[in-house]
């Protein structure tokens, strides 16, 4: 194992991969330490939206950050295509959140209003549409659809292919990817970090903790904190069908391959090996009320994944004061924010400091010190 | 590809494949009836459009997918024929309304 | 018989109406336990006794005496009080022994005190170049058509592979007047030597004489090429020819139909999705559930009988079904046990039925080149992923089947890994110089067979379920 890296990224999911790829792109020597085949991987359980609407209520900086990511995604997709030949099927032609019945429509309208009141400068044109207006874009909606919100910046991507493109790009950038090497301890001495794995020790000048919910355990090793509040989500997927859904929805999207993904639940349960069919039933029932044609499609699989979720729902990007050169990054929206991670976070890590004007709001100091309790089991 | 044995005394059942009448027997599965007939039963896959015929005939391979009475992606090897059944050979992905 | 289950709770639910399931359900019901037998096929029999109640093949000699054993099992079952539902697809089983079953386009939900999984076996993948071409099928597929519809090949037909079923099928096709142009035997020459130490048990088992006479019967009528070391199917949009190498010589023969077979492996999907622990069987080269002597799995209340418990053949499956049923009776209705055959008797029966199995497993252990493909040969039929695609993914970091899905979608199609899973595990193990056990298998999930979205949507839901989804 090489031990002389500029940066070691702990975590090879979408978030760690995006940052590592971004660092490689800047010519850094990067190692990525990852777990193995069976682990709680949000990167292969996600819903693959590149999503702006309703993000950032309670934290305007998150709205701005998300809009920036959405706008940079095209550049990321084209650089990945150029480098790896892989088309990640980015589609950003606007997305919907549909409502069933008047109550849901009213609640959604209220949320849109609150977002508008808050955001000001980062107004991203989220608007409410009536059912007949929605029907112009989504002709197959059912009679129970009362309308919905629409945001022209929303889109989706093939997240598995994005993951593969990053890992393919690792090779081209000379990034070393070390799977099956979970990090059990981190220390700093003589100006470099030592990371302990079952296969030995790896040394690097800087480290980025990108281990999802496990950041909660890793961060305190280098004077950082990452209070997490993971939740479980279930997703259902159908067989491939001819294209019928021209825009992604918050809970339904048709992939470029033709399958229809239906999400998603938010549960306290944190065992990702089990499933609750009654929850899938709520999801699929709502889906067929939104698009009655879906009823006859076959469901081929359903799964549960554990969301990477900072305790207040907003991203954490932080740098250590006690261990300079140590960074932590974790957030729920690893797909949406992949472009920011590849370009912005990687750039800041490479230069050795986070820029407060861009990501200062995301410091874990907002939780009031490192001792924030979390009983999530991580 | 396959022929019927003379000892088979099961009553005939007529099904339609893309509108053309096919002689099947009571107790045949749709896939068996297709393979016993002279019709071109090759579907094309939803991924690349490659041609396929049933492979396992026991419900595990999903290469026998057909549209039966308007419902797409049925496993033809598990569905018994019925008089007047309308079978369509699938070309590519299933259509959303089917 | 395609009506929903009559009750919501059963003492015993048996899944699969092959030899093990038929035997288990009959005994469980006879002992007074409320018993439900769920089966995906139109009628009882599973694969080995397929169409036992409906086959148009009336000449009993043509299918052979071993086949008609199934009729007695069905008779015992019908004489019992077991509730039997055919065309019933179990799509979920979990640790709480909650079962979801699709019958006639609607799902029903039943709970069992004990579940006996008798989901049997499926044919081992045979990933050679061209195996997805129309005209290439499994030998089992041809046998299914023969038993249930008296259909036999009439075009230019090649049978390739190895194992007892291959010879049985060939004999049956010939007896029914079907056509076989050539048999390509892929048994590795070295296997004969490896199997020798186990020969005594086999020579004294009932399989020996039967197997020998069947091979003689076939060889008298069909050209058999042994020692085949390479095999490929080719054609433009349809099988046109089969090429092979035997004794170092390549030959290509025109063909309309190629029937492939290299043994059967446990059908693990439902058991794995229920969380049953499996281990890699180095001799049978497949995943087998970890079971105790009564067939109990690592999940309390779930027993596995038949070939799903590890390949043992039809006779062993029947006995394993009886053992699992007896264990259920012991647990749920101890007073009724006295009427049943003792465990000691059943275990002796099992030992007899399994006699010679190691010899067969060793002799018919498929060669690596027929299990582990290379280059453009398709591994995952559903998602059309090649061996090269898999190896490319390993090169950029895929460690096992589940990460491979993220890179290539292998196993994510409708067959849910049944036709690629073993190949993927062995291919990745070879590429990474690890054991199949270390590489592992796909994490399987419900629904284990596809169901319509409307069916899933109809599952009863609580207010809490709604709150977990609807969040404004």
């Amino acid at each position: 194992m090489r031990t002389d890296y500029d940066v070691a990224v702990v975590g090879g999911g979408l978030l760690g991969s995006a940052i590592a790829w971004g660092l490689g792109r800047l010519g850094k020597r990067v190692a990525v330490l990852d777990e193995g085949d069976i682990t709680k991987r949000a990167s292969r359980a996600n819903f693959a939206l590149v999503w702006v609407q309703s993000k950032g209520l309670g934290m305007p900086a998150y709205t701005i950050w998300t809009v920036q990511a959405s706008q940079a995604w095209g550049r990321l997709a084209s650089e990945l295509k150029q480098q790896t030949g892989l088309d990640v099927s980015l589609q950003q032609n606007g997305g919907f959140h549909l409502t069933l019945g008047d109550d849901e429509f009213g609640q959604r309208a209220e949320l849109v209003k609150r977002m508008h009141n808050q955001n000001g400068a980062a107004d991203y044109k989220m608007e409410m549409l009536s059912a007949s207006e929605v029907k112009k874009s989504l002709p197959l909606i059912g009679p129970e659809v009362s309308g919905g919100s629409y945001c022209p910046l929303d889109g989706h991507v093939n997240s598995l292919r994005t993951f593969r493109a990053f890992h393919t790009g690792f090779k081209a950038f000379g990034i070393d990817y070390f799977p099956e090497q979970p990090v059990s301890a981190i220390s700093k001495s003589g100006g470099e970090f030592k990371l302990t794995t079952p296969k030995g020790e790896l040394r690097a000048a800087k480290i980025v903790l990108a281990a999802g919910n496990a950041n909660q355990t890793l961060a305190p090793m280098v004077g950082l904190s990452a209070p997490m509040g993971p939740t479980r989500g279930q997703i259902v997927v159908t067989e491939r069908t001819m294209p019928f859904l021209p825009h992604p929805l918050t809970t339904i999207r048709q992939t470029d391959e033709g399958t229809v993904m239906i999400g998603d639940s938010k549960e306290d349960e944190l065992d990702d090996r089990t499933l609750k069919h009654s929850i899938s039933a709520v999801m699929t029932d709502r889906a067929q009320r939104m698009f009655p044609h879906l009823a006859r499609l076959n469901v081929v699989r359903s799964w549960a994944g554990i969301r990477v979720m900072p305790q207040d729902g907003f991203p954490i990007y932080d740098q250590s004061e006690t261990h300079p050169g140590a960074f932590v990054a974790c957030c729920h929206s690893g797909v949406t924010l992949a472009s920011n991670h590849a370009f912005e976070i990687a750039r800041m890590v490479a230069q050795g400091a986070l820029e407060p004007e861009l990501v200062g709001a995301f410091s874990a100091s907002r939780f009031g010190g490192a001792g924030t309790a979390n009983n999530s089991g991580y | 590809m396959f022929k019927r044995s003379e000892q088979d005394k099961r009553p005939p059942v007529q099904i339609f494949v893309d509108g053309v009448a096919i002689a099947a027997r009571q107790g045949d599965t749709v896939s068996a009836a297709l393979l016993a007939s002279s019709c071109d039963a090759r579907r094309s896959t939803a991924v690349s459009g490659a041609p396929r015929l049933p492979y396992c005939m026991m419900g595990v391979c999903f290469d026998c997918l057909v549209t039966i009475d308007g419902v797409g992606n049925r496993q033809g090897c598990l569905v018994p024929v019925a008089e007047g059944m309308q079978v369509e050979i699938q070309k590519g992905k299933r259509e959303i309304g089917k | 018989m395609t009506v929903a289950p009559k009750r919501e709770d059963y003492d015993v639910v048996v899944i699969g109406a092959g030899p093990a399931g038929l035997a288990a359900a009959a005994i469980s019901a006879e002992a007074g336990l409320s018993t439900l037998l769920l089966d995906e096929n139109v009628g009882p029999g599973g694969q080995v006794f397929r169409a036992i109640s409906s086959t148009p093949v009336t000449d009993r000699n043509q299918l052979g005496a071993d086949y008609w054993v199934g009729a007695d099992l069905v008779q015992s079952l019908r004489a019992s009080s077991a509730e039997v539902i055919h065309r019933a697809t179990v799509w979920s089983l979990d640790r709480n022994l909650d079962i979801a079953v699709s019958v006639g386009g609607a799902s029903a939900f039943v709970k069992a005190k004990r579940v006996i999984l008798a989901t049997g076996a499926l044919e081992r993948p045979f990933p050679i170049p061209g195996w997805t071409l129309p005209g290439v099928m499994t030998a089992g597929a041809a046998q299914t058509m023969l038993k249930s519809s008296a259909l036999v090949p009439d075009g230019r037909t090649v049978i390739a592979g190895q194992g007892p079923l291959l010879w049985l099928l060939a004999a049956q096709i010939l007896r029914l007047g079907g056509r076989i142009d050539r048999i390509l035997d892929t048994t590795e020459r070295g296997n004969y030597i490896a199997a020798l130490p186990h020969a005594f048990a086999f020579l004294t088992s009932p399989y020996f004489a039967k197997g020998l006479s069947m091979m003689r019967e076939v060889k008298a009528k069909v050209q058999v090429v042994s020692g085949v070391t390479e095999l490929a199917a080719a054609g433009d949009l349809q099988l046109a020819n089969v090429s092979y190498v035997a004794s170092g010589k390549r030959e290509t023969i025109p063909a309309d139909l190629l029937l492939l077979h290299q043994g059967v492996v446990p059908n693990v999907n439902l058991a794995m999705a229920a969380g049953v622990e499996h281990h890699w069987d180095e001799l049978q080269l497949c995943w087998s559930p970890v079971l105790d002597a009564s067939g109990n799995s690592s999940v309390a209340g779930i027993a596995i009988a038949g070939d799903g418990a590890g390949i043992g053949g039809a006779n062993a499956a029947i006995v394993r079904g009886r053992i699992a049923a007896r264990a259920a009776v012991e647990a749920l209705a101890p007073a009724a046990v006295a009427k049943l055959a003792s465990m000691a008797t059943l275990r002796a029966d099992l030992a007899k039925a399994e006699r010679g199995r190691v010899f067969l497993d060793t002799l018919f252990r498929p060669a690596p080149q027929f299990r582990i493909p290379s280059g453009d040969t398709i591994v995952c039929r559903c998602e059309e992923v090649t061996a090269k695609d898999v190896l490319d993914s390993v090169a950029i970091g895929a460690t096992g089947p589940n990460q491979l899905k993220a890179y290539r979608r292998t196993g994510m199609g409708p067959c849910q890994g049944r036709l690629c899973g073993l190949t993927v595990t062995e291919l990745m193990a070879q590429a990474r110089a690890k054991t199949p056990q270390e590489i592992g298998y796909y994490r399987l999930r419900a629904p284990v067979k596809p169901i319509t979205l409307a069916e899933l949507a109809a599952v009863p839901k609580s207010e809490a379920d709604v709150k977990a989804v609807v969040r404004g």
Side-chain angles (χ1 to χ4, degrees), chain A residues 16-17 20-21 32 83 165-177:
Chain A
S17 295
W21 181 87
V32 179
Q83 185 193 29
F166 279 136
H167 281 227
T168 305
F170 284 0
K171 279 268 180 227
F173 286 143
I175 295 168
D176 286 337
Y177 175 69

Side-chain angles (χ1 to χ4, degrees), chain C residues 167 171 174-175 208-222 224:
Chain C
W167 296 100
L174 295 171
R175 290 171 199 162
F208 173 65
K210 275 188 232 166
L212 208 61
S213 81
M214 214 153 52
M215 283 170 81
R216 281 208 198 100
E217 178 187 346
V218 172
K219 284 180 173 171
K221 292 181 180 161
V222 181
V224 177

Side-chain angles (χ1 to χ4, degrees), chain B residues 31-91:
Chain B
S31 296
L34 290 174
L35 289 167
S37 77
S38 54
C39 74
D40 181 358
R42 288 175 297 177
R43 73 176 181 107
S44 52
T45 65
V47 176
S48 73
R52 296 275 175 91
L53 279 177
Y55 178 73
C56 79
M57 292 298 281
M58 58 171 281
V60 295
C61 79
F62 291 80
D63 266 330
C64 63
L65 296 177
V66 283
T67 299
I68 299 176
D69 290 334
V71 180
N73 276 357
R74 305 280 312 271
Q75 287 184 275
C77 79
L78 293 178
V79 179
V81 293
E83 189 64 37
M85 184 179 261
Q86 297 285 342
V87 175
E88 292 162 70
I89 305 301
Q90 276 186 210
K91 300 294 180 192

Side-chain angles (χ1 to χ4, degrees), chain C residues 8-27:
Chain C
E8 288 180 0
D9 299 275
Y10 291 86
D11 292 326
V12 176
V13 175
V14 181
I15 299 168
L22 290 169
I27 285 178

Side-chain angles (χ1 to χ4, degrees), chain C residues 29-108:
Chain C
E30 277 163 21
L33 299 177
S34 59
T35 303
L36 173 66
L37 173 58
L38 298 169
D39 184 68
E40 191 175 32
N41 283 319
V42 177
Q47 306 311 324
V48 67
F49 304 136
R50 181 175 274 271
I52 189 72
S53 309
S54 62
T55 181
V57 183
T58 44
D59 179 345
R60 289 176 82 93
N61 295 325
Q62 290 185 333
L63 293 177
D66 288 348
Y67 174 76
W68 294 102
V69 168
D72 300 337
L73 287 175
V74 171
Q75 205 170 21
S76 304
L77 177 76
R78 292 203 171 139
S80 80
S81 61
E83 183 182 338
V84 183
I85 306 178
H86 285 289
R87 299 191 69 195
T89 301
V90 174
W91 58 267
S92 179
L93 164 68
D94 66 21
R95 291 170 174 278
N96 303 320
L97 311 191
D98 284 322
I99 295 160
V101 56
S102 173
V103 185
S107 283

Side-chain angles (χ1 to χ4, degrees), chain C residues 23 27 293-294 315-316 318-327 330 337 340-354:
Chain C
I27 285 178
S294 299
N315 292 340
I318 295 168
V319 185
R320 286 177 187 169
R322 289 181 179 143
I323 290 174
R326 194 196 145 97
E330 282 172 6
V337 156
L340 304 179
S342 75
M343 228 20 142
T345 307
L346 291 172
R347 296 220 165 98
D349 289 350
L350 183 60
K352 196 175 148 203
E354 287 178 339

Side-chain angles (χ1 to χ4, degrees), chain A residues 47-362:
Chain A
F47 199 63
L49 294 176
V50 176
W51 211 245
V52 173
Q53 67 169 286
S54 78
K55 295 268 181 78
L57 195 61
M59 190 195 258
Y62 183 38
T63 310
I64 296 165
W65 183 240
T66 301
V67 171
Q68 182 186 347
S70 157
Q71 287 163 344
W73 240 106
R75 183 155 66 95
L76 176 62
S78 85
E79 284 199 26
L80 286 172
K81 174 87 187 281
Q82 204 167 17
Q83 185 193 29
T84 67
L86 293 169
D87 183 351
V88 298
S89 300
L90 175 69
Q91 181 196 323
Q92 289 180 296
N93 61 338
F96 289 84
H97 174 95
L98 295 189
T99 57
L100 295 169
D102 294 341
D103 287 358
E104 285 185 21
F105 186 85
Q107 283 162 21
R108 190 67 180 177
E110 184 58 34
L111 179 110
V112 170
K113 206 166 111 193
R114 276 158 60 209
M115 290 295 295
H116 277 275
N117 291 343
Q118 173 185 287
N119 289 313
D123 179 5
Y124 47 74
K125 306 181 209 82
M126 181 180 175
E127 57 176 330
M128 289 304 289
L129 299 177
S130 68
S132 59
E133 285 168 314
V134 170
K135 212 174 175 85
K136 286 178 200 157
S137 301
L138 303 172
L140 295 181
I141 55 168
E144 285 189 65
V145 174
S146 50
S149 58
Y150 172 75
C151 172
L153 300 182
D154 285 339
H156 62 156
V157 70
N158 187 314
S159 59
L160 295 185
R161 208 174 300 129
T162 301
F163 177 80
R164 177 177 152 206
F166 279 136
H167 281 227
T168 305
F170 284 0
K171 279 268 180 227
F173 286 143
I175 295 168
D176 286 337
Y177 175 69
F178 299 116
E180 297 172 338
Q181 299 202 28
V183 172
S184 56
I186 309 169
S187 62
K188 191 176 188 193
S189 63
E192 63 177 4
F193 291 92
K194 292 188 173 66
L195 299 101
T196 308
T197 83
K199 291 182 185 166
E201 198 173 71
L202 184 137
R203 293 195 298 270
K206 293 175 196 152
I207 58 166
V208 179
L209 303 181
N213 291 310
N215 272 352
Q216 173 147 322
T217 315
L218 294 171
M221 296 176 188
V222 287
L224 286 163
S225 83
M228 305 302 289
T231 55
R232 186 172 87 163
Q234 282 184 200
I235 294 176
V236 168
V237 70
T238 73
E239 62 199 356
R240 295 179 192 233
T241 184
M242 299 286 275
F244 79 99
L245 190 58
H247 299 268
L249 276 60
T250 38
T251 56
I252 307 173
R253 70 180 202 96
Q254 184 170 26
T255 68
D256 59 303
E257 286 122 349
T259 62
V260 183
M261 289 176 71
I262 296 162
D264 62 346
S265 61
K266 188 175 171 185
E267 306 156 59
D268 295 331
E269 170 65 55
L270 291 178
D271 182 355
D272 65 344
R273 295 166 304 174
T274 61
L275 284 168
K276 225 176 151 195
H277 299 319
S278 53
I279 283 178
S280 300
V282 176
M283 288 157 28
T284 47
D285 180 55
R286 290 179 62 82
Q288 68 178 359
R289 285 155 68 197
M290 289 175 186
F291 296 94
H293 282 90
L294 287 174
R296 286 164 83 171
L297 277 187
N298 287 309
V299 167
V300 293
R301 193 172 155 85
S302 56
W303 66 88
I306 306 302
R307 281 190 193 81
V308 176
M309 189 62 83
Q311 239 167 45
D312 59 0
F314 302 117
I316 297 171
Y317 305 111
D318 220 338
Q319 54 200 344
S320 176
E321 285 172 21
T322 58
H323 297 64
F327 298 85
V328 64
C330 41
C331 68
H332 167 241
S333 300
V335 178
T336 300
L337 298 177
S339 52
N340 281 2
H341 297 151
F343 298 131
E344 302 299 335
I345 299 293
R347 178 177 53 77
M348 292 184 245
V349 169
Q351 74 201 14
L354 299 178
E355 292 162 14
E357 57 275 22
L358 257 183
V359 295
F362 304 116

